[in-house]
Amino acid sequence: KGVTPGEELEFSLETKADFGRIAAQTAKQVVLQKIKEIEKEAIFSEFQAKEGEILSSVVQRIEGRNVFLNIGKTLGILPREEQVPGEFYRPGQRLKTYLLKTENTAKGPLIFLSRSHPKLVAKLFEIEVPEISSGQVQIKAIAREAGSRSKVAVSSNDERIDPIGAAVGQRGTRVMTVISELGGEKIDIIKWSEKPEEFIASSLSPAKVLEIRTGEKNTALALVPE
């Protein structure tokens, strides 16, 4: 129990007649196999705890429609359906990815990544905007058409803080950092409102809305200039 890393331990070994080369080789294989199993379990547990977070990853290789990225101790998979349409990947390229889910299989842990998930946008804003990471500004809703445009609705409980200004940053520096990380995807930051009419009008900007008529079953009619 009291061992320290780097310390050497000596054990007396019973001499046996069948303790030959093959038996020693078998013992070595068993020990190595157990170590590999423990390593796989540790990797699975570590990345399972990171589900829903952003990882810094490097493109390792491309196999068919799947992209494999180096995420540290193992490789993550970026499946075709989680890729951004029109985005090209090349070995050595550095990307921010969203850890979608982890699965433990007989061959070891499978870590699925995403570049198209709306929460990737939210997490990138958390990194860039201190007011969002501290909770002074909240992201209330996100709609994303990956590779084309994202709409991000923000609000603040503090009257002194302009939620849109905080997310955009001075001269647009904060939002531009997120845009460049997403390969130039357009981002509209709008103000959240509890009133559906106000919220819908804001969400359709930059289009000018003359009137919003709410209907049954969560439907609305937006009237705009011709």
Side-chain angles (χ1 to χ4, degrees):
K1 287 184 177 179
V3 296
T4 57
E7 184 182 350
E8 286 189 10
L9 300 176
E10 289 188 6
F11 299 92
S12 56
L13 197 62
E14 292 179 37
T15 51
K16 292 184 179 180
D18 63 344
F19 209 78
R21 183 176 61 82
I22 293 170
Q25 194 72 21
T26 306
K28 179 185 175 183
Q29 291 297 335
V30 170
V31 172
L32 289 176
Q33 183 63 32
K34 285 290 179 189
I35 290 172
K36 282 180 182 174
E37 284 175 16
I38 292 165
E39 281 178 346
K40 284 178 183 177
E41 192 60 45
I43 288 168
F44 174 73
S45 300
E46 180 184 333
F47 285 100
Q48 191 180 36
K50 290 180 179 177
E51 280 183 15
E53 291 184 17
I54 278 188
L55 302 177
S56 293
S57 45
V58 180
V59 177
Q60 187 90 4
R61 65 180 191 273
I62 298 155
E63 287 183 11
R65 293 188 163 192
N66 294 329
V67 181
F68 289 84
L69 298 107
N70 187 338
I71 50 174
K73 294 177 182 176
T74 186
L75 292 180
I77 305 168
L78 183 64
R80 178 70 181 171
E81 58 272 17
E82 294 300 331
Q83 296 170 21
V84 174
E87 195 170 65
F88 296 98
Y89 307 101
R90 61 186 187 279
Q93 183 182 3
R94 292 185 174 275
L95 292 168
K96 290 268 196 311
T97 52
Y98 179 78
L99 205 168
L100 203 58
K101 61 178 178 177
T102 50
E103 287 181 9
N104 214 353
T105 66
K107 291 184 177 179
L110 285 178
I111 292 136
F112 292 95
L113 307 171
S114 176
R115 283 279 295 170
S116 62
H117 203 284
K119 285 188 178 175
L120 175 66
V121 180
K123 289 290 179 181
L124 288 171
F125 271 107
E126 273 184 35
I127 294 169
E128 292 301 323
V129 184
E131 290 89 343
I132 291 176
S133 55
S134 68
Q136 292 173 297
V137 172
Q138 291 95 34
I139 294 176
K140 290 284 193 177
I142 289 183
R144 187 179 183 203
E145 197 172 303
S148 177
R149 187 183 291 271
S150 286
K151 298 264 184 183
V152 182
V154 292
S155 75
S156 175
N157 297 326
D158 193 335
E159 292 177 0
R160 296 168 297 174
I161 294 174
D162 170 20
I164 295 175
V168 171
Q170 201 168 9
R171 294 182 182 174
T173 50
R174 291 172 176 177
V175 73
M176 285 307 295
T177 306
V178 176
I179 288 170
S180 65
E181 187 58 55
L182 296 173
E185 184 177 313
K186 296 180 182 70
I187 295 177
D188 295 339
I189 299 169
I190 59 171
K191 194 168 183 180
W192 165 264
S193 174
E194 295 288 347
K195 297 175 184 173
E197 295 86 355
E198 286 181 9
F199 183 47
I200 292 167
S202 298
S203 68
L204 290 173
S205 64
K208 294 282 181 284
V209 178
L210 301 176
E211 186 187 348
I212 299 282
R213 295 175 187 166
T214 52
E216 295 176 2
K217 296 179 183 176
N218 284 338
T219 60
L221 177 70
L223 301 178
V224 295
E226 284 192 27

